[in-house]
Amino acid sequence: MSKAGALDLASGLGGKIDKSDVLSSVEKYEKYHVYYGGAEEDRKANYSDMVNKYYDLVTSFYEFGWGESFHFAPRFKGESLRESIKRHEHFLALQLGLKPGQKVLDVGCGIGGPLREIARFSSTSVTGLNNNEYQISRGKELNRIAGVDRTCDFVKVDSVLDITSSSYLLSAFVHLLADFMKMPFPDNSFEAVYAIEATCHAPDAYGCYSEIYRVLKPGQCFAAYEWCMTDAFNPENQEHQKIKSEIEIGDGLPDIRSTGQCIDALKKAGFEVIWSKDLAVGSPMPWYLPLDTTHFSLNSFRLTAVGRFFTRNMVKALEYLGVAPKGSQRVQDFLEKAAHGLVEGGRKEIFTPLFFFLARKPHSESQ
């Protein structure tokens, strides 16, 4: 798992956005959200632009604090954050029953941390789907550093991709620049599909799950960890709404669905839901612990209150010196809002990033 340094953070800020345009991009991104008067309809209508801006702006921060895998995990006592993240990825692979040589799709692959881990763990060929060019380029560099660049490929897709081609089959890791609402694959292409805290960015769960259903082979499974509001969330409660809006702006979300809405969307898309559970319930340690300012850990120091204080002042200094682009502090600010919202949402049990489901595409449409 990589750990980007201060200069990596500074050079990566803004992603593929021109450094002189970072501040204006931050302002445009902020205006999509409730905190700044934005409407849910606008976020959903412009989800691709909003999510792209978000990941251009925050990816270097994520990698600096979190490593290569940008997700939470249930955690046992005595287990490090890194260990829990790997176990969480292995759990998903085991639930899917992955077998060597299978073709698997990672929907919303980020910079490829889970993709590389799951492919190595299961000896499968994993295709990563992502609509952010900066994350694809960063993932390519991380593959080179990890020494897997000879078996990895990053493809910008402008038409339907033939995944049965010999060049495709020789790749253990393939990353595609594409939109998961309009996937560039023929029907029945993959033997398994998974998503790790990614399809929450979709403006419409049914539309996204329907695309996954289309590209999955009959009789095969789709597993995911979803970000959801729980049954304890009260839309009439202003404090609950404030927490929800903090998570949305800090994490590039058009909206946050309930667990029930996700299950309904799966069934409407045609899936059989095998089982589902909020894995945050009963976890020995809270999933939000790495972001809790009352918690201190040397293993995840950059995420602690002290570590974030140093990062905040480092970014301020780098921006003042012109090493980091103008607007970098504003990105740090809305990420701090997200951290606050996530911790409070977790404490009040109104939000979970660990809603797991395993669903199967029937062998025939009549089933």
Side-chain angles (χ1 to χ4, degrees):
M1 186 177 289
S2 73
K3 274 288 186 179
L7 290 179
D8 296 309
L9 172 61
S11 62
L13 279 167
K16 289 292 184 181
I17 299 170
D18 188 278
K19 301 306 179 188
S20 63
D21 294 331
V22 167
L23 180 58
S24 62
S25 294
V26 172
E27 291 170 345
K28 288 175 185 175
Y29 171 77
E30 288 174 338
K31 287 176 182 177
Y32 279 123
H33 291 276
V34 173
Y35 239 87
Y36 296 88
E40 180 184 325
E41 293 76 19
D42 290 335
R43 292 195 297 279
K44 288 183 175 181
N46 298 285
Y47 76 93
S48 184
D49 178 66
M50 183 188 73
V51 173
N52 250 306
K53 278 188 172 62
Y54 175 76
Y55 279 112
D56 272 330
L57 294 169
V58 307
T59 293
S60 58
F61 277 104
Y62 272 23
E63 193 180 349
F64 182 76
W66 218 257
E68 293 178 33
S69 295
F70 305 159
H71 64 81
F72 293 98
R75 198 164 158 193
F76 292 104
K77 291 181 179 178
E79 187 177 44
S80 70
L81 176 61
R82 180 181 299 188
E83 289 167 344
S84 70
I85 283 174
K86 284 194 173 187
R87 178 178 50 75
H88 200 46
E89 293 165 357
H90 295 173
F91 174 83
L92 187 146
L94 291 169
Q95 288 298 310
L96 282 168
L98 299 183
K99 296 178 177 61
Q102 286 186 323
K103 291 188 285 293
V104 181
L105 179 63
D106 179 334
V107 179
C109 64
I111 59 173
L115 179 151
R116 284 183 287 275
E117 184 64 32
I118 287 172
R120 287 185 293 229
F121 177 73
S122 60
S123 298
T124 51
S125 176
V126 184
T127 296
L129 194 69
N130 193 328
N131 72 343
N132 183 265
E133 191 172 349
Y134 174 68
Q135 288 198 334
I136 292 287
S137 64
R138 181 60 185 148
K140 187 181 228 181
E141 174 64 12
L142 290 171
N143 282 346
R144 186 191 64 77
I145 293 169
V148 296
D149 51 313
R150 289 176 181 267
T151 55
C152 300
D153 193 16
F154 293 77
V155 184
K156 183 173 181 179
V157 180
D158 298 311
S159 58
V160 174
L161 183 71
D162 179 11
I163 71 165
T164 64
S165 68
S166 59
S167 61
Y168 187 100
L169 292 171
L170 288 172
S171 297
F173 312 86
V174 183
H175 287 65
L176 304 175
L177 183 60
D179 186 341
F180 51 45
M181 299 297 288
K182 301 182 286 288
M183 295 187 192
F185 307 112
D187 295 354
N188 309 322
S189 291
F190 296 95
E191 288 150 310
V193 180
Y194 69 84
I196 300 179
E197 301 181 24
T199 47
C200 51
H201 293 292
D204 169 32
Y206 166 68
C208 180
Y209 295 164
S210 294
E211 271 294 271
I212 291 168
Y213 184 94
R214 181 183 66 78
V215 303
L216 183 64
K217 290 184 178 181
Q220 303 304 312
C221 291
F222 165 44
Y225 298 125
E226 279 283 11
W227 282 33
C228 293
M229 305 312 294
T230 70
D231 291 342
F233 173 72
N234 179 2
E236 304 302 317
N237 184 310
Q238 288 191 342
E239 185 182 14
H240 287 193
Q241 285 289 6
K242 179 176 181 290
I243 290 169
K244 181 174 180 281
S245 66
E246 285 179 336
I247 297 171
E248 287 169 350
I249 187 172
D251 294 284
L253 305 178
D255 188 22
I256 307 176
R257 293 176 278 274
S258 69
T259 56
Q261 286 173 321
C262 288
I263 295 300
D264 288 345
L266 282 168
K267 291 177 179 177
K268 185 179 177 183
F271 283 105
E272 301 169 347
V273 179
I274 298 171
W275 74 281
S276 63
K277 182 184 177 182
D278 179 3
L279 300 182
V281 177
S283 176
M285 297 176 71
W287 59 265
Y288 55 82
L289 194 65
L291 298 176
D292 189 342
T293 55
T294 64
H295 172 72
F296 183 84
S297 170
L298 287 175
N299 286 328
S300 51
F301 174 76
R302 291 177 180 178
L303 297 173
T304 64
V306 177
R308 279 148 61 180
F309 172 81
F310 279 118
T311 301
R312 187 162 51 250
N313 283 281
M314 179 185 69
V315 170
K316 184 177 181 179
L318 291 171
E319 185 173 333
Y320 176 78
L321 293 170
V323 178
K326 291 186 183 301
S328 298
Q329 290 180 75
R330 293 268 287 273
V331 178
Q332 175 84 2
D333 288 343
F334 68 65
L335 287 175
E336 289 287 350
K337 280 191 179 70
H340 178 268
L342 288 165
V343 171
E344 289 304 305
R347 280 182 178 152
K348 296 181 184 300
E349 299 182 348
I350 63 171
F351 168 82
T352 178
L354 302 178
F355 182 61
F356 173 81
F357 59 73
L358 179 67
R360 181 189 293 117
K361 180 176 179 176
H363 284 282
S364 66
E365 296 295 331
S366 61
Q367 284 188 296

